């Protein structure tokens, strides 16, 4: 019997709710480590993905976007998960237009779909209506054109991508970004799926800059580990 899919929900912005919390501080550490990985080259785009569902990749992506914006970078969070989007829900915005709209309309303007998040220096691009062919749309020349234009408009773009298992969406976009972060969750992520995800990213020639080990409790407070 197939497991019933959980309804899609927005994620908690711990970096905004309580900026002094342990979780927020650990997200800052992840942000710093990403910055350190870009010492020799400019990091304009980052892909966040996972090996399977419910490992926390959208939470990591959204909170990192908030923290990079908080550091003064003009940041854009793109919902590249065209199948199970969360960004619109997280920021309480409509998803009637978004990335899929932009990829469908060759004459569409990026300015019409990029929105203010109500957080200084942070903009969002929601996924838009679910298309029948997400992989083909993300692998199109139009997508490459959009990504290049966004890099001219923003200091940093963070792509919240779908899990790697069974679909190629994340591989396609990750290969076109400067760096990829893979999120896993303690006592949930299967080693075989994780290794498969790493190999899939390597095959796509994505630049994996780190892994966030989500849910790790080294002590009574710690939740995230980056390595």
């Amino acid at each position: 019997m197939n497991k019933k899919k959980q309804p899609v929900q927005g994620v908690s912005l711990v970096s905004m709710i309580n900026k002094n919390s342990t979780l927020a501080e650990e997200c800052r550490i992840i942000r710093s480590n990403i910055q350190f990985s870009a010492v020799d080259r400019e990091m304009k785009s980052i892909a966040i993905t996972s090996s399977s569902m419910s490992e926390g990749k959208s939470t990591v992506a959204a909170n990192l976007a908030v923290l990079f914006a908080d550091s003064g970078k003009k940041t854009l969070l793109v919902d590249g998960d065209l199948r199970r989007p969360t960004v619109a829900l997280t920021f309480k915005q409509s998803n009637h237009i978004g990335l899929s709209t932009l990829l469908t309309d060759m004459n569409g303007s990026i300015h019409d779909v990029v929105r203010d998040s109500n957080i200084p220096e942070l903009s969002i691009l929601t996924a838009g209506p679910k298309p029948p062919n997400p992989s083909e749309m993300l692998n199109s020349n139009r997508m490459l054109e959009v990504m290049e234009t966004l890099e001219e408009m923003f200091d940093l773009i963070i792509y919240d991508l779908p899990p790697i298992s069974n679909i190629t969406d994340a591989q396609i976009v990750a290969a076109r970004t400067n760096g990829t972060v893979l999120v896993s969750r303690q006592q949930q992520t299967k080693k075989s799926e994780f290794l498969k995800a790493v190999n899939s990213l390597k095959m796509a020639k994505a630049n994996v800059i780190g892994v966030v080990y989500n849910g790790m409790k080294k002590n009574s407070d710690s939740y995230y580990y980056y390595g």
Side-chain angles (χ1 to χ4, degrees):
M1 182 179 294
N2 293 329
K3 292 182 179 179
K4 185 178 180 180
K5 285 187 177 181
Q6 295 296 318
V8 180
Q9 298 178 334
V11 303
S12 176
L13 296 175
V14 295
S15 50
M16 285 295 297
I17 295 170
N18 185 354
K19 291 187 176 183
N20 297 319
S21 68
T22 301
L23 290 179
E25 182 57 32
E26 288 175 342
C27 285
R28 291 190 192 96
I29 292 172
I30 296 171
R31 178 191 64 185
S32 297
N33 285 335
I34 290 174
Q35 291 172 323
F36 291 148
S37 71
V39 171
D40 297 327
R41 57 179 172 175
E42 188 176 19
M43 189 71 69
K44 292 282 292 184
S45 56
I46 300 171
I48 311 291
T49 185
S50 59
S51 60
S52 58
M53 289 176 55
S54 303
E55 292 184 303
K57 55 93 180 170
S58 293
T59 300
V60 172
N63 281 279
L64 281 177
V66 171
L67 289 172
F68 272 109
D70 192 52
S71 71
K73 281 186 175 293
K74 187 178 180 183
T75 305
L76 175 68
L77 175 62
V78 178
D79 198 334
D81 193 340
L82 302 183
R83 302 168 194 267
R84 288 175 62 85
T86 61
V87 171
L89 293 169
T90 297
F91 291 89
K92 296 178 173 56
Q93 299 219 22
S94 168
N95 194 39
H96 70 285
I97 59 171
L99 180 59
S100 64
T101 314
L102 195 60
L103 297 179
T104 303
D105 184 1
M106 298 299 291
N107 296 315
S109 171
I110 289 178
H111 297 283
D112 292 336
V113 293
V114 170
R115 307 177 203 172
D116 185 3
S117 70
N118 295 320
I119 296 172
E121 298 297 333
L122 177 62
S123 299
I124 61 171
L125 175 53
T126 61
K130 182 179 177 179
N133 54 343
S135 296
E136 288 78 4
M137 293 183 72
L138 293 174
N139 198 32
S140 64
N141 289 332
R142 173 63 169 166
M143 179 64 180
L144 183 59
E145 176 187 309
V146 168
M147 293 177 73
E148 290 174 346
T149 302
L150 291 176
E151 289 188 18
E152 296 174 358
M153 297 171 58
F154 294 90
D155 297 327
L156 177 68
I157 301 99
I158 295 179
Y159 293 91
D160 177 9
L161 300 178
I164 294 177
S165 58
N166 301 322
I167 56 174
T168 60
D169 301 21
Q171 291 170 265
I172 292 167
V173 180
R176 294 175 168 180
T177 62
N178 299 135
T180 298
V181 173
L182 188 60
V183 178
S184 63
R185 183 180 289 277
Q186 188 177 36
Q187 297 183 338
Q188 178 171 320
T189 304
K190 294 180 180 179
K191 183 178 180 180
S192 59
E193 291 182 352
F194 178 81
L195 293 176
K196 181 180 178 182
V198 172
N199 288 332
S200 295
L201 290 169
K202 286 182 177 179
M203 287 179 61
K205 294 183 170 53
N207 176 30
V208 181
I209 59 175
V211 175
V212 173
Y213 195 35
N214 190 10
M216 179 180 178
K217 297 190 176 181
K218 294 183 294 183
N219 51 49
S220 59
D221 296 320
S222 183
Y223 195 72
Y224 290 113
Y225 173 74
Y226 179 91

